[in-house]
Amino acid sequence: MTRKIVTRLRWKHRIGILLLAFLALMLATAAYAWTVSVRYVHDYQTDWSADDGWHRGQIEWSGGKRYIRAGDDYVKWNTFIPQSSGYLAMVYHAFQPNTNNCGNIRVGDHAWSWSNLPNATFSTKGCGAGADNEWRAEVRNNNITAGTNYYFQHLFRDTTSGNNGTGEITTNTYWVTTFGGAGPYHGKFCINSSNVYAPTNGQC
């Protein structure tokens, strides 16, 4: 076999490997695509609340346990005018379906939180002595840049023994002061015993 033929075969082999790697990457990306995506809505708007974004969800399994990942992305402010005191937070609540009550879906470890919000810190609260149902990505410096795309995520736990808990995960912009926090509601996705899905007319 001549040197030219060997060189050609080596290049074909390398190209084949690169194509296989590319296909594997595409399949992996498809496998981890969000199951549900809900465009932001507003029950009211403020000078500091997010103007646009997507609220997404999917089911994940690890060690025989069921988790629900909530992830908001392309979250954007057209303008951002903070109040005179307090700070911004993007907030998830895990509720029983169509209620404001604690259910089977609860927040996970703080280490299961991610965000590119400026200097974001994470906190949880709610549900009394049990595992919390409220998660916050706090922006205490209020350093939001208008027109920038932000994201945040958290991995919730299904606390039922059979891993078939139901519920909903909502998303809000909050303004937090010493008196508490509240702000516009942007939507939710629903959780049944097998999957996550978008609500119909706001109901799970």
Side-chain angles (χ1 to χ4, degrees):
M1 193 178 290
T2 66
R3 183 174 292 177
K4 283 185 178 180
I5 294 174
V6 170
T7 302
R8 284 179 191 160
L9 288 174
R10 284 179 180 163
W11 274 108
K12 285 182 179 178
H13 181 69
R14 289 175 186 162
I15 290 170
I17 289 173
L18 288 172
L19 285 172
L20 286 173
F22 177 73
L23 288 172
L25 177 63
M26 294 299 291
L27 288 172
T29 302
Y32 288 98
W34 295 104
T35 305
V36 63
S37 297
V38 178
R39 189 76 180 261
Y40 270 29
V41 297
H42 306 83
D43 55 353
Y44 66 98
Q45 286 184 286
T46 69
D47 291 333
W48 42 264
S49 61
D51 292 296
D52 200 6
W54 288 90
H55 182 47
R56 309 186 197 266
Q58 65 188 31
I59 301 296
E60 298 181 12
W61 291 86
S62 179
K65 295 182 179 179
R66 184 179 186 236
Y67 298 89
I68 298 90
R69 185 182 298 275
D72 289 32
D73 54 22
Y74 298 101
V75 178
K76 190 184 303 185
W77 284 258
N78 296 331
T79 59
F80 177 75
I81 304 173
Q83 292 187 21
S84 58
S85 63
Y87 59 88
L88 178 82
M90 300 307 293
V91 180
Y92 291 143
H93 291 99
F95 290 133
Q96 292 179 22
N98 307 315
T99 73
N100 291 329
N101 302 323
C102 296
N104 303 316
I105 309 304
R106 301 294 180 90
V107 297
D109 192 282
H110 282 204
W112 303 344
S113 305
W114 303 267
S115 181
N116 71 337
L117 288 163
N119 298 308
T121 57
F122 308 111
S123 67
T124 64
K125 61 178 297 186
C127 294
D132 291 339
N133 77 318
E134 179 180 315
W135 174 92
R136 295 180 180 183
E138 301 173 343
V139 187
R140 290 178 176 264
N141 62 8
N142 294 322
N143 192 23
I144 294 294
T145 301
T148 297
N149 287 321
Y150 294 104
Y151 70 84
F152 48 94
Q153 290 187 20
H154 182 69
L155 196 60
F156 289 80
R157 297 180 295 116
D158 185 341
T159 62
T160 57
S161 58
N163 290 320
N164 58 355
T166 62
E168 63 181 40
I169 296 178
T170 66
T171 185
N172 294 69
T173 304
Y174 267 24
W175 193 262
V176 184
T177 68
T178 54
F179 302 104
Y185 165 82
H186 300 304
K188 68 181 181 181
F189 65 80
C190 308
I191 305 156
N192 62 22
S193 59
S194 60
N195 216 335
V196 294
Y197 61 98
T200 302
N201 297 324
Q203 299 295 299
C204 294

